[in-house]
Amino acid sequence: MINNYVGKLIVYTGSMFSGKTTQLLETLRRFQIAGYSTMLFKPSIDTRYSISEVVNHPKNYRFSAVSIEYIEDIERYAENVQVIGIDEFQFIKSIFGPLKTINKLLLRDKTIIIAGLDIDFQGRPFESMKEVLPVADYVYKLHAICVNCGQDAWISHRITDEGERIVIGAEEKYQPLCRRCFYRVTQGK
Ligand SMILES: Nc1ncnc2c1ncn2[C@@H]1O[C@H](COP(=O)(O)OP(=O)(O)O)[C@@H](O)[C@H]1O
Ligand SMILES: Cc1cn([C@H]2C[C@H](O)[C@@H](COP(=O)(O)O)O2)c(=O)[nH]c1=O
Ligand SMILES: [Zn+2]
């Protein structure tokens, strides 16, 4: 097979439960079927469901993954890899800014598929996602279903009283809500 799909940046974003991880794993699987070598990375703080795998919420997709703290770590692992997946991109730290490494890898003809939250539980954009979204070749904004009204969800509403920005969890801590339901629930509007 001729592997001529190279050097593209693909981003899946949206709230929790919108299908970002499922799409990322399905896209990686398709590249594997097409004969490309792949490697998946995730932030080391994300220990939800599995330490050595990325697993989607319904647990019907799983994929072996390497835990990293910094985006710069990828260069060490991915020298001979054609397609790189990165889950929970919003939590991957960087020394020189995420674009430096991303651009370097793209210029080495590696295709990169990112899945990450666009905004946090208060609606503030995640900085690293703000950097990659405008420079991506393909951006897919996905939507969960608002658990209150069934519209497209916009935000991952935290239902515990934890105030820190990073709190790892799933449905026991977060609910996808549309904008209207979020403001009604949080500000009584
Ligand atoms: N409110 C919801 N809206 C849509 N999907 C939901 C919802 N709650 C649970 N799910 C499940 O979550 C899946 C998406 O999981 P996943 O791909 O891990 O999402 P993400 O990575 O965006 O959090 C859906 O296919 C569905 O089975
Ligand atoms: C909104 C929000 C989420 N998180 C955490 C919760 C989960 O562990 C991940 C998101 O996972 P998913 O695959 O997108 O469902 O992020 C957080 O720490 N802070 C937040 O504001
Ligand atoms: Zn709603």
Side-chain angles (χ1 to χ4, degrees), residues 146 148-149 178 181:
C146 172
N148 232 23
C149 75
C178 72
C181 288

Side-chain angles (χ1 to χ4, degrees), residues 15-22 56-58 144-145 147 176:
S15 74
M16 291 178 67
F17 307 101
S18 62
K20 303 181 301 294
T21 300
T22 306
N56 67 348
H57 285 296
I145 299 161
V147 296

Side-chain angles (χ1 to χ4, degrees), residues 166-181:
I166 300 182
V167 176
I168 302 301
E171 63 270 2
E172 76 291 352
K173 289 182 190 278
Y174 296 93
Q175 286 182 335
L177 291 180
C178 72
R179 192 182 273 110
R180 189 171 291 277
C181 288

